[in-house]
Amino acid sequence: MKQSPYILVVNGTKIRRPVFVLGAPHSGVDFVARALRRAPGFHLTGGHPSVLNAVYAFARQPSLAQGHESGAARLVRDAFAEAWQLTPLSCPRCPPGPVPAREAPEPCEHAGQVTRYGDAGPDLLYSSSALALAFEDAAFVQVIRDGRDAVADMLDDEHSLTWFKPGVANLDGELPNAFFGVETEEDRDEYPGLSTASKCAMRWRSAVRLSAKLRGELAPERLMTLRYEEVPGKEVETAERLSEFVGASVSALELMRPDPDGTGSWRVRLDSVQRTDVEGVARPELTRLGYLR
Protein backbone atom coordinates (compact mmCIF):
# COMPACT_ATOMS: atom_id res chain seq x y z
CA MET A 1 0.00 0.00 0.00
CA LYS A 2 1.52 3.32 -1.05
CA GLN A 3 1.76 5.82 1.77
CA SER A 4 1.67 9.59 1.48
CA PRO A 5 5.10 11.23 1.77
CA TYR A 6 5.96 11.93 5.39
CA ILE A 7 8.58 14.30 6.76
CA LEU A 8 9.99 13.56 10.19
CA VAL A 9 11.93 16.36 11.86
CA VAL A 10 14.03 15.59 14.94
CA ASN A 11 16.28 18.06 16.72
CA GLY A 12 15.40 20.60 14.05
CA THR A 13 16.76 18.30 11.33
CA LYS A 14 14.79 16.58 8.59
CA ILE A 15 15.46 12.85 8.75
CA ARG A 16 16.97 11.70 5.45
CA ARG A 17 17.92 8.13 4.56
CA PRO A 18 18.07 6.68 8.08
CA VAL A 19 20.19 3.55 8.40
CA PHE A 20 19.02 0.40 10.16
CA VAL A 21 21.43 -2.43 11.03
CA LEU A 22 19.78 -5.78 11.61
CA GLY A 23 20.33 -9.53 11.64
CA ALA A 24 19.80 -12.62 13.76
CA PRO A 25 20.77 -12.49 17.46
CA HIS A 26 24.56 -12.56 17.89
CA SER A 27 25.21 -12.22 14.17
CA GLY A 28 27.49 -9.20 14.51
CA VAL A 29 24.95 -6.37 14.42
CA ASP A 30 26.55 -4.62 17.40
CA PHE A 31 29.99 -4.92 15.82
CA VAL A 32 28.91 -3.18 12.61
CA ALA A 33 26.84 -0.65 14.55
CA ARG A 34 29.88 0.39 16.58
CA ALA A 35 31.71 1.39 13.41
CA LEU A 36 28.75 3.38 12.12
CA ARG A 37 28.26 5.12 15.49
CA ARG A 38 31.73 6.57 15.22
CA ALA A 39 31.27 7.87 11.69
CA PRO A 40 31.18 11.69 11.61
CA GLY A 41 27.67 13.11 11.76
CA PHE A 42 26.01 9.81 12.71
CA HIS A 43 23.62 9.26 15.61
CA LEU A 44 22.87 5.54 15.75
CA THR A 45 20.71 4.39 18.63
CA GLY A 46 20.03 0.90 19.91
CA GLY A 47 17.74 -0.56 22.53
CA HIS A 48 15.70 2.57 23.24
CA PRO A 49 12.55 1.58 25.19
CA SER A 50 10.12 3.26 22.78
CA VAL A 51 11.65 1.38 19.84
CA LEU A 52 11.77 -1.95 21.66
CA ASN A 53 8.11 -1.61 22.63
CA ALA A 54 7.17 -1.17 18.97
CA VAL A 55 9.51 -3.93 17.77
CA TYR A 56 8.25 -6.49 20.28
CA ALA A 57 4.66 -5.57 19.51
CA PHE A 58 5.26 -6.48 15.86
CA ALA A 59 7.28 -9.56 16.83
CA ARG A 60 4.55 -10.99 19.03
CA GLN A 61 1.66 -10.00 16.77
CA PRO A 62 2.82 -9.77 13.12
CA SER A 63 -0.69 -8.91 11.94
CA LEU A 64 -0.25 -5.45 13.47
CA ALA A 65 1.88 -4.57 10.44
CA GLN A 66 -0.29 -6.45 7.95
CA GLY A 67 -3.39 -4.67 6.79
CA HIS A 68 -2.67 -1.76 9.13
CA GLU A 69 0.21 -0.20 7.20
CA SER A 70 -0.56 3.42 8.06
CA GLY A 71 -0.83 2.68 11.77
CA ALA A 72 2.33 0.56 11.77
CA ALA A 73 4.32 3.27 10.00
CA ARG A 74 3.03 5.88 12.43
CA LEU A 75 3.94 3.74 15.43
CA VAL A 76 7.48 3.27 14.12
CA ARG A 77 8.00 6.93 13.31
CA ASP A 78 6.72 8.02 16.72
CA ALA A 79 9.11 5.58 18.40
CA PHE A 80 12.13 6.93 16.57
CA ALA A 81 11.05 10.55 16.97
CA GLU A 82 11.49 9.90 20.69
CA ALA A 83 14.58 7.69 20.46
CA TRP A 84 16.55 10.12 18.28
CA GLN A 85 16.00 13.17 20.48
CA LEU A 86 19.32 14.70 21.55
CA THR A 87 18.89 16.73 24.71
CA PRO A 88 21.32 17.34 27.59
CA LEU A 89 19.65 14.41 29.35
CA SER A 90 19.71 11.92 26.46
CA CYS A 91 22.87 12.80 24.52
CA PRO A 92 25.73 10.35 25.16
CA ARG A 93 28.28 13.12 24.59
CA CYS A 94 26.82 15.62 27.07
CA PRO A 95 28.32 15.54 30.58
CA PRO A 96 26.17 13.95 33.28
CA GLY A 97 24.72 16.07 36.01
CA PRO A 98 21.82 18.36 36.78
CA VAL A 99 20.35 20.36 33.90
CA PRO A 100 18.19 23.50 34.23
CA ALA A 101 14.55 22.61 33.66
CA ARG A 102 14.20 25.07 30.79
CA GLU A 103 17.16 23.44 28.93
CA ALA A 104 16.39 19.77 29.61
CA PRO A 105 13.86 19.25 26.76
CA GLU A 106 15.74 21.37 24.21
CA PRO A 107 18.23 20.00 21.62
CA CYS A 108 21.73 19.96 23.11
CA GLU A 109 24.86 21.53 21.63
CA HIS A 110 25.75 18.30 19.82
CA ALA A 111 22.42 17.99 18.00
CA GLY A 112 23.51 20.45 15.33
CA GLN A 113 26.49 18.23 14.47
CA VAL A 114 24.28 15.26 13.59
CA THR A 115 23.27 14.88 9.95
CA ARG A 116 22.36 11.17 9.82
CA TYR A 117 20.24 8.97 12.04
CA GLY A 118 19.73 5.26 12.44
CA ASP A 119 19.27 2.34 14.80
CA ALA A 120 20.78 -1.10 15.29
CA GLY A 121 19.63 -4.30 16.89
CA PRO A 122 18.79 -7.87 15.91
CA ASP A 123 15.17 -7.44 16.97
CA LEU A 124 14.68 -4.71 14.35
CA LEU A 125 14.44 -7.46 11.78
CA TYR A 126 10.94 -8.34 12.98
CA SER A 127 9.68 -4.87 12.09
CA SER A 128 11.68 -4.42 8.87
CA SER A 129 8.57 -4.16 6.69
CA ALA A 130 7.14 -1.43 8.92
CA LEU A 131 10.49 0.38 8.90
CA ALA A 132 10.67 0.28 5.11
CA LEU A 133 7.16 1.67 4.94
CA ALA A 134 7.69 4.34 7.57
CA PHE A 135 10.92 5.60 5.99
CA GLU A 136 10.71 5.17 2.23
CA ASP A 137 14.34 6.22 1.71
CA ALA A 138 15.76 4.14 4.58
CA ALA A 139 18.91 2.08 4.03
CA PHE A 140 19.28 -1.38 5.59
CA VAL A 141 22.50 -3.17 6.48
CA GLN A 142 21.88 -6.80 7.32
CA VAL A 143 24.56 -8.99 8.89
CA ILE A 144 24.71 -12.73 8.24
CA ARG A 145 26.73 -15.14 10.40
CA ASP A 146 27.15 -18.90 10.70
CA GLY A 147 24.16 -20.06 12.70
CA ARG A 148 26.23 -22.46 14.76
CA ASP A 149 28.43 -19.63 16.07
CA ALA A 150 25.33 -17.47 16.64
CA VAL A 151 23.68 -20.25 18.64
CA ALA A 152 26.84 -20.79 20.70
CA ASP A 153 26.73 -17.11 21.67
CA MET A 154 23.00 -17.23 22.39
CA LEU A 155 23.52 -20.14 24.75
CA ASP A 156 25.99 -18.02 26.74
CA ASP A 157 23.70 -14.97 26.84
CA GLU A 158 21.20 -14.76 29.68
CA HIS A 159 19.13 -12.15 27.83
CA SER A 160 18.72 -14.44 24.82
CA LEU A 161 17.80 -17.37 27.03
CA THR A 162 15.16 -15.34 28.86
CA TRP A 163 12.88 -15.58 25.82
CA PHE A 164 12.68 -19.36 26.23
CA LYS A 165 11.49 -19.36 29.83
CA PRO A 166 7.97 -20.65 30.57
CA GLY A 167 5.44 -17.86 30.40
CA VAL A 168 7.64 -15.74 28.13
CA ALA A 169 7.51 -17.89 25.02
CA ASN A 170 3.76 -17.58 24.56
CA LEU A 171 2.94 -19.35 21.31
CA ASP A 172 -0.83 -19.45 21.68
CA GLY A 173 -1.28 -16.46 19.37
CA GLU A 174 -0.54 -15.98 15.70
CA LEU A 175 1.29 -18.24 13.32
CA PRO A 176 3.83 -17.91 11.91
CA ASN A 177 5.73 -16.35 14.80
CA ALA A 178 9.06 -15.27 13.34
CA PHE A 179 10.44 -14.08 16.67
CA PHE A 180 10.53 -17.63 18.05
CA GLY A 181 10.94 -19.27 14.67
CA VAL A 182 7.66 -21.17 14.98
CA GLU A 183 6.05 -21.31 11.56
CA THR A 184 3.60 -24.21 11.59
CA GLU A 185 1.23 -25.99 13.92
CA GLU A 186 3.73 -28.86 13.97
CA ASP A 187 6.48 -26.46 15.10
CA ARG A 188 4.23 -25.18 17.87
CA ASP A 189 3.36 -28.67 19.08
CA GLU A 190 7.02 -29.74 19.16
CA TYR A 191 8.41 -26.51 20.64
CA PRO A 192 7.97 -27.25 24.39
CA GLY A 193 9.99 -30.45 24.09
CA LEU A 194 12.87 -29.00 22.09
CA SER A 195 16.33 -28.41 23.52
CA THR A 196 17.49 -24.86 24.12
CA ALA A 197 19.98 -25.23 21.28
CA SER A 198 17.15 -26.18 18.92
CA LYS A 199 15.09 -23.17 20.02
CA CYS A 200 18.06 -20.86 19.42
CA ALA A 201 18.53 -22.43 16.00
CA MET A 202 14.87 -21.80 15.19
CA ARG A 203 15.35 -18.10 15.96
CA TRP A 204 18.43 -17.96 13.70
CA ARG A 205 16.66 -19.89 10.93
CA SER A 206 13.68 -17.58 11.03
CA ALA A 207 15.91 -14.48 10.97
CA VAL A 208 17.73 -15.78 7.90
CA ARG A 209 14.42 -16.39 6.15
CA LEU A 210 13.26 -12.88 7.02
CA SER A 211 16.53 -11.51 5.64
CA ALA A 212 15.98 -13.38 2.38
CA LYS A 213 12.43 -12.01 2.21
CA LEU A 214 13.76 -8.48 2.75
CA ARG A 215 16.18 -8.92 -0.16
CA GLY A 216 13.22 -9.68 -2.37
CA GLU A 217 11.29 -6.62 -1.21
CA LEU A 218 13.93 -3.89 -1.33
CA ALA A 219 15.86 -2.41 -4.22
CA PRO A 220 19.65 -3.08 -4.17
CA GLU A 221 20.41 0.55 -3.36
CA ARG A 222 18.43 0.21 -0.13
CA LEU A 223 19.91 -3.05 1.16
CA MET A 224 23.48 -4.15 1.86
CA THR A 225 24.39 -7.59 3.16
CA LEU A 226 27.58 -8.25 5.14
CA ARG A 227 28.98 -11.66 5.99
CA TYR A 228 30.40 -11.49 9.50
CA GLU A 229 33.16 -13.97 8.66
CA GLU A 230 34.33 -11.93 5.67
CA VAL A 231 35.16 -8.75 7.61
CA PRO A 232 38.39 -9.85 9.38
CA GLY A 233 41.27 -9.21 6.99
CA LYS A 234 39.06 -7.12 4.73
CA GLU A 235 38.36 -4.21 7.06
CA VAL A 236 39.40 -1.61 4.48
CA GLU A 237 37.21 -3.06 1.73
CA THR A 238 34.27 -3.44 4.14
CA ALA A 239 34.65 0.15 5.39
CA GLU A 240 34.69 1.40 1.80
CA ARG A 241 31.54 -0.55 0.97
CA LEU A 242 29.77 0.71 4.08
CA SER A 243 30.88 4.29 3.45
CA GLU A 244 29.60 4.26 -0.10
CA PHE A 245 26.32 2.63 0.87
CA VAL A 246 25.40 4.83 3.84
CA GLY A 247 26.97 8.02 2.51
CA ALA A 248 29.28 8.60 5.48
CA SER A 249 32.96 8.05 6.24
CA VAL A 250 33.28 4.73 8.09
CA SER A 251 36.75 4.01 9.45
CA ALA A 252 38.36 0.63 8.82
CA LEU A 253 40.01 0.93 12.24
CA GLU A 254 36.58 0.65 13.86
CA LEU A 255 36.09 -2.72 12.16
CA MET A 256 39.27 -4.17 13.60
CA ARG A 257 38.84 -6.34 16.67
CA PRO A 258 41.37 -6.58 19.51
CA ASP A 259 39.90 -9.96 20.47
CA PRO A 260 39.14 -13.13 18.47
CA ASP A 261 36.02 -12.76 16.34
CA GLY A 262 34.66 -16.15 17.37
CA THR A 263 34.40 -17.55 13.86
CA GLY A 264 34.26 -21.33 14.03
CA SER A 265 34.16 -21.33 17.84
CA TRP A 266 31.07 -23.55 17.71
CA ARG A 267 33.42 -26.49 17.20
CA VAL A 268 34.56 -26.33 20.82
CA ARG A 269 31.56 -24.54 22.38
CA LEU A 270 28.78 -26.84 21.18
CA ASP A 271 28.77 -30.46 22.26
CA SER A 272 27.83 -33.22 19.83
CA VAL A 273 24.17 -33.22 20.86
CA GLN A 274 23.87 -29.46 20.46
CA ARG A 275 25.52 -29.58 17.04
CA THR A 276 23.10 -32.26 15.92
CA ASP A 277 20.15 -30.25 17.22
CA VAL A 278 21.26 -27.04 15.48
CA GLU A 279 21.96 -28.70 12.17
CA GLY A 280 18.74 -30.67 12.39
CA VAL A 281 16.74 -27.46 12.66
CA ALA A 282 18.70 -25.19 10.33
CA ARG A 283 20.42 -27.49 7.83
CA PRO A 284 18.73 -26.03 4.70
CA GLU A 285 19.70 -22.47 5.63
CA LEU A 286 23.21 -23.42 6.73
CA THR A 287 23.67 -25.24 3.45
CA ARG A 288 22.20 -22.50 1.27
CA LEU A 289 24.50 -19.94 2.86
CA GLY A 290 27.55 -22.15 2.40
CA TYR A 291 28.22 -22.88 6.06
CA LEU A 292 27.39 -26.55 5.79
CA ARG A 293 28.20 -28.91 2.96
Side-chain angles (χ1 to χ4, degrees), residues 6-15 42-46 48-51 76-94 103-114 116-119 135:
Y6 184 92
I7 298 174
L8 178 63
V9 177
V10 180
N11 303 315
T13 301
K14 179 180 177 181
I15 303 298
F42 243 101
H43 179 48
L44 195 79
T45 53
H48 191 280
S50 64
V51 175
V76 165
R77 284 192 294 260
D78 288 348
F80 282 107
E82 179 180 345
W84 288 335
Q85 289 289 337
L86 281 170
T87 70
L89 296 177
S90 64
C91 176
R93 296 170 60 189
C94 283
E103 297 178 12
E106 298 298 320
C108 69
E109 60 180 299
H110 302 109
Q113 302 168 17
V114 175
R116 300 294 303 282
Y117 290 82
D119 195 83
F135 302 101

Side-chain angles (χ1 to χ4, degrees), residues 26 52 56 122-123 154 156-165 179 203:
H26 290 286
L52 291 182
Y56 291 141
D123 296 331
M154 280 190 256
D156 285 340
D157 177 13
E158 279 300 318
H159 176 71
S160 293
L161 298 181
T162 297
W163 293 109
F164 305 129
K165 292 182 178 180
F179 188 81
R203 288 203 69 193

Side-chain angles (χ1 to χ4, degrees), residues 31 34 228 232 235 255-263:
F31 169 58
R34 183 188 66 181
Y228 177 83
E235 291 87 355
L255 292 170
M256 294 181 179
R257 304 182 63 114
D259 55 336
D261 59 34
T263 298

